[in-house]
Amino acid sequence: MLRSARLIRSAILTAAVALAAMPACAQNGDRAPPAVAIAADLAASPAGTKLTLTLSKPVDARAFVMERPDRVVIDLAEVNFQLAPETGRRREGLVQSFRYGLFAPGRSRIVVDLAGPATVGRIETATRPRDGAVILTVPFQRADRESFRKAATAGDLAPAAGKAVAPAEPADRRPLIVVDAGHGGIDPGAIAVGGVFEKDIVFGFAQALVARLEAGGRYRVAMTRDRDVYVPLSERVRIARDAKADLFVSIHADSISSAPQVRGATIYTGSEKATDSESAKLAERENKADAAAGAESGDGPPEIADILQELTLRETRGFSSGFAKTLMGQLGPVMEMSTKPHREAGFKVLRSPDVPSVLVELGYLSSQRDLDLLQSAEWRASVTGSMAKAIDQFFGNRASLVRPVVPNRRSAAIAPVSP
């Protein structure tokens, strides 16, 4: 059995290496395929613990540490992970476990949960002579708590794989908007009478919103999912927080089969106490999405540990509410709004303590009128245009669109964003 698995891995690697060597134009237009990872191994020794990836070609890699909980984040160019299902689940030395996957278009990420404080040494790459595979090694060394905390606060990066550390280029300082298309993959969301899935409606709308924002050039934009795949609720929050997003917009479309006459959009912001029972029930349904998709419900954001974090959360929710009101003002003239257009509820995707977040229910799939509009390209262009105006207005009250540098975003209040 083991020999068979090795043969399969070897065949995958041989094909991947051959494909990587082909001219880009012969593979996928002008875009070369991503590197393929066929193995990820951990090895512990008195000196520390090493994570080794076997890849079809070299990739750029950077790593940094984060506290609460202790972890190492490894950012990579896009990688096609062809790993065994149990990969990353077994503890080895300083590594408790690790997970991996597509983080954003063209980018992958490995998140390593540490068994204790540790720092990252120099990331190395080497080519294996017998088959041309690229071996990328990430070493972890045990550290005391104070050294680890300083590294996490400074956001220290591990040296680049196989290269000397180059001077950092000026970062793109435009605000980052993360657009979250609800549901996806095995979770269809609400289903209209004609069989239309909410996941498809909201994904198309999210893509249109991203395109509108990118066309303006004022923002960086990312999506929590760029295809028909399920992303756990806590991961959607984590994506926005790890990317240090300035705004998170989740797109959904509700359904009430018992009341087809009900229609209109509603904008939700996060709160432990729901505005009304209807909002509470909706949040409860949405929060069960992980279970419905057969996925484990991941941990949410860390508990509020001190008064500074509590103030940060309170300030963030103020920004969220301010943006919701701005959005309501822009959407009102171009689309039908519900009887209570701004409500609060305990949605899991709105629980980020440091990223202003809203959830927009575009309408009701149970209403034929709303369903027709949701599938109209003209309506979608009008609504995304108004949402872009609301985002411009939200950030426009700043002296500039340059976001201040926050030394430790996990424990310090976020920079003011005037609604």
Side-chain angles (χ1 to χ4, degrees), residues 216-288:
R218 304 182 70 188
Y219 310 103
R220 293 172 294 139
V221 191
M223 299 181 73
T224 56
R225 66 179 180 97
D226 64 350
R227 64 195 67 174
D228 185 19
V229 63
Y230 185 75
V231 180
L233 302 177
S234 61
E235 185 64 21
R236 296 169 192 253
V237 177
R238 186 178 293 113
I239 287 170
R241 298 192 73 216
D242 287 353
K244 295 182 171 64
D246 296 279
L247 184 64
F248 177 88
V249 181
S250 188
I251 307 297
H252 289 255
D254 200 4
S255 179
I256 307 178
S257 57
S258 60
Q261 74 281 3
V262 176
R263 57 185 301 253
T266 305
I267 304 163
Y268 289 91
T269 49
S271 174
E272 283 76 19
K273 185 177 180 180
T275 304
D276 47 52
S277 60
E278 181 183 338
S279 300
K281 290 177 182 177
L282 176 62
E284 185 179 4
R285 289 201 307 272
E286 295 290 355
N287 291 344
K288 291 178 179 177

Side-chain angles (χ1 to χ4, degrees), residues 336-349:
E336 182 78 16
M337 304 297 289
S338 67
T339 53
K340 294 180 181 178
H342 178 204
R343 309 186 193 193
E344 297 180 338
F347 292 92
K348 284 186 178 180
V349 294

Side-chain angles (χ1 to χ4, degrees), residues 101-399:
L102 191 66
F103 176 67
R107 295 172 54 201
S108 291
R109 170 167 284 190
I110 301 173
V111 179
V112 179
D113 298 313
L114 297 172
T119 55
V120 184
R122 182 178 179 80
I123 300 174
E124 300 284 354
T125 60
T127 300
R128 194 163 60 194
R130 73 171 186 268
D131 57 9
V134 173
I135 308 300
L136 185 146
T137 305
V138 184
F140 308 103
Q141 296 96 29
R142 192 177 304 278
D144 60 76
R145 174 56 60 183
E146 186 60 28
S147 298
F148 182 81
R149 180 169 291 123
K150 288 180 179 179
T153 301
D156 289 345
L157 294 177
K163 301 176 183 177
V165 180
E169 296 181 1
D172 188 339
R173 311 282 289 189
R174 295 174 298 167
L176 172 62
I177 316 298
V178 172
V179 180
D180 172 50
H183 307 282
I186 197 171
D187 173 25
I191 304 175
V193 175
V196 178
F197 291 162
E198 177 185 358
K199 68 173 183 177
D200 298 325
I201 291 285
V202 300
F203 183 65
F205 187 93
Q207 285 182 308
L209 177 59
V210 168
R212 177 61 67 101
L213 292 172
E214 288 180 336
R218 304 182 70 188
Y219 310 103
R220 293 172 294 139
V221 191
M223 299 181 73
T224 56
R225 66 179 180 97
D226 64 350
R227 64 195 67 174
D228 185 19
V229 63
Y230 185 75
V231 180
L233 302 177
S234 61
E235 185 64 21
R236 296 169 192 253
V237 177
R238 186 178 293 113
I239 287 170
R241 298 192 73 216
D242 287 353
K244 295 182 171 64
D246 296 279
L247 184 64
F248 177 88
V249 181
S250 188
I251 307 297
H252 289 255
D254 200 4
S255 179
I256 307 178
S257 57
S258 60
Q261 74 281 3
V262 176
R263 57 185 301 253
T266 305
I267 304 163
Y268 289 91
T269 49
S271 174
E272 283 76 19
K273 185 177 180 180
T275 304
D276 47 52
S277 60
E278 181 183 338
S279 300
K281 290 177 182 177
L282 176 62
E284 185 179 4
R285 289 201 307 272
E286 295 290 355
N287 291 344
K288 291 178 179 177
D290 284 343
E296 294 183 7
S297 181
D299 296 333
E303 295 295 327
I304 302 303
D306 55 42
I307 187 63
L308 184 58
Q309 290 185 6
E310 184 177 348
L311 290 173
T312 300
L313 176 62
R314 188 180 305 170
E315 187 177 28
T316 300
R317 286 185 171 173
F319 297 150
S320 301
S321 181
F323 175 64
K325 292 173 183 175
T326 299
L327 187 57
M328 188 170 58
Q330 288 292 339
L331 292 181
V334 299
M335 66 187 299
E336 182 78 16
M337 304 297 289
S338 67
T339 53
K340 294 180 181 178
H342 178 204
R343 309 186 193 193
E344 297 180 338
F347 292 92
K348 284 186 178 180
V349 294
L350 300 181
R351 291 183 181 175
S352 174
D354 51 3
V355 180
S357 307
V358 299
L359 185 149
V360 182
E361 292 281 355
L362 294 171
Y364 291 86
L365 299 186
S366 47
S367 162
Q368 188 59 51
R369 176 58 177 158
D370 275 1
L371 181 58
D372 290 342
L373 290 173
L374 287 166
Q375 298 178 95
S376 163
E378 182 179 356
W379 179 89
R380 183 181 296 170
S382 175
V383 175
T384 55
S386 291
M387 291 183 76
K389 289 179 183 178
I391 292 171
D392 287 344
Q393 187 175 341
F394 179 66
F395 288 105
N397 290 334
R398 288 185 181 184

